[in-house]
């Protein structure tokens, strides 16, 4: 796994496939490994760049607070280090929040968006309070509490047991302090409706038909705010549609790449 040093820390990332650069940002509390079907078989025509966010996977924690803007800045610095200008920017759930933060920070770097099982809205007070409770619980008891709470909500009933087990293992392997920081970072995220409305390029919005965490209604609400969005609702998938139905997911990305200007 290659890495780059960004100011005071190291960011590890995967770089696979050949073609149009596609940055993919992982969800909470996961790592780049959560794109394993795409890393093993990238969509045709795509070069996938998939970082481990600060403190997750192989990337050590950073000194800066974990915010969606910081994830976006890290991703922009990674693209700079790779001499990549405008790329397709996408992410799953929390990775989608960071993708929208990137498009706000520097719209010129996002020629297209791929928003996967995510939402544009900010947390209300009750959701922020739940995130703080999660952070405190993880700090007290470790990553297993989050894995146990999230695992039953992540997948459609048809998920392969091996997929479920691998995601469980990835969640349990993450650093409790980083999980807590990410939970607090997501609580502070901004509403990104303005980013969607101003995005000039195409957008692919992907959602599992059985996603209960960010359901299809939230995906439709994102699509309605955009000038050029294609909504792909994937049957037999929950919140991690790229893992649950990788062929359908890859086909949707390939369609997006074919219609890029
Ligand atoms: C994720 O999958 O990244 C999380 O479900 C996002 C969230 O908790 O809002």
């Amino acid at each position: 796994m290659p890495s780059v040093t960004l100011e005071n820390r190291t960011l590890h990332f995967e770089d696979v496939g050949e073609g149009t650069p596609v940055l993919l940002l992982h969800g909470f509390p996961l790592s780049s490994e959560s794109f394993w079907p795409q890393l093993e078989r990238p969509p045709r025509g795509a070069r996938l760049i998939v970082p481990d966010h600060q403190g997750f996977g192989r990337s050590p924690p950073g000194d800066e607070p974990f915010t969606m803007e910081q994830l976006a800045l890290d991703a922009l610095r990674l693209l700079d280090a790779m001499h990549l200008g405008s790329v397709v920017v996408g992410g799953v759930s929390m990775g989608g929040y960071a993708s929208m933060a990137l498009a706000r920070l520097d719209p010129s770097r996002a020629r297209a968006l791929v928003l996967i099982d995510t939402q544009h809205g900010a947390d209300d007070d009750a959701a922020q309070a739940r995130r703080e409770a999660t952070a405190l619980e993880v700090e007290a008891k470790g990553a297993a509490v989050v894995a146990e709470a999230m695992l039953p909500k992540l997948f459609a009933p048809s998920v392969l047991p091996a997929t479920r087990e691998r995601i469980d293992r990835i969640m349990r392997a993450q650093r409790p302090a980083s999980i807590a920081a990410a939970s607090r970072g997501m609580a502070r995220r901004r509403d990104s409706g303005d980013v969607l409305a101003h995005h000039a390029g195409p957008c692919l919005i992907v959602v599992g038909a059985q996603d209960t965490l960010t359901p299809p209604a939230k995906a439709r609400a994102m699509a309605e705010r955009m000038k050029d969005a294609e909504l792909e609702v994937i049957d037999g998938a929950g919140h991690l549609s790229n893992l649950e139905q990788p062929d359908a997911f890859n086909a949707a990305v390939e369609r997006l790449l074919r219609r890029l200007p």
Side-chain angles (χ1 to χ4, degrees):
M1 193 180 213
S3 64
V4 288
T5 300
L6 308 173
E7 293 173 2
N8 53 357
R9 69 175 179 284
T10 303
L11 200 69
H12 288 260
F13 63 100
E14 300 284 3
D15 181 4
V16 301
E18 284 177 15
T20 305
V22 179
L23 176 76
L24 283 180
L25 302 176
H26 67 77
F28 168 88
L30 299 168
S31 71
S32 59
E33 190 186 339
S34 61
F35 288 103
W36 75 80
Q38 285 72 44
L39 295 172
E40 286 163 16
R41 194 175 66 79
R44 276 185 297 272
R47 174 185 179 188
L48 300 182
I49 298 142
V50 192
D52 282 336
H53 300 316
Q54 55 169 280
F56 287 86
R58 296 195 198 173
S59 294
D63 297 335
E64 296 84 358
F66 191 108
T67 60
M68 299 307 105
E69 287 71 27
Q70 190 58 47
L71 296 189
L73 273 175
D74 286 352
L76 285 170
R77 289 185 193 137
L78 170 62
L79 296 176
D80 291 343
M82 299 176 81
H83 307 291
L84 293 171
S86 186
V87 304
V88 177
V89 175
V92 174
S93 202
M94 178 179 78
Y97 308 156
S99 301
M100 291 181 266
L102 189 157
R104 175 184 282 112
L105 279 177
D106 189 350
S108 75
R109 303 297 287 275
R111 63 184 296 203
L113 292 172
V114 181
L115 301 173
I116 310 151
D117 296 296
T118 190
Q119 58 189 331
H120 68 274
D123 281 2
D124 59 17
D125 290 348
Q128 288 182 342
R130 280 197 299 277
R131 301 234 196 241
E132 180 58 24
T134 299
L136 292 172
E137 207 182 1
V138 173
E139 285 169 338
K141 298 181 188 159
V145 290
V146 164
E148 281 158 19
M150 286 195 74
L151 199 65
K153 302 179 194 159
L154 285 177
F155 301 108
S158 56
V159 66
L160 296 174
T163 300
R164 217 182 127 87
E165 281 155 26
R166 190 160 174 181
I167 282 294
D168 188 34
R169 182 180 57 68
I170 293 171
M171 289 196 289
R172 288 171 189 268
Q174 304 312 313
R175 300 165 181 81
S178 298
I179 299 176
S183 193
R184 293 186 173 114
M186 287 192 289
R188 289 199 298 272
R189 75 184 189 280
R190 293 171 60 174
D191 183 294
S192 292
D194 59 324
V195 174
L196 299 184
H198 293 129
H199 176 65
C203 178
L204 168 65
I205 298 176
V206 181
V207 65
Q210 289 155 294
D211 183 347
T212 54
L213 293 177
T214 47
K218 296 212 174 197
R220 272 192 290 278
M222 289 196 292
E224 281 161 12
R225 282 172 167 72
M226 303 194 75
K227 296 180 199 72
D228 182 9
E230 186 197 341
L231 174 62
E232 180 75 20
V233 182
I234 300 187
D235 287 332
H239 188 59
L240 298 179
S241 50
N242 67 295
L243 289 179
E244 299 177 76
Q245 299 295 340
D247 291 346
F249 175 81
N250 279 15
V253 172
E254 288 165 11
R255 275 200 306 281
L256 173 78
L257 295 183
R258 281 197 297 273
R259 74 185 185 93
L260 284 183

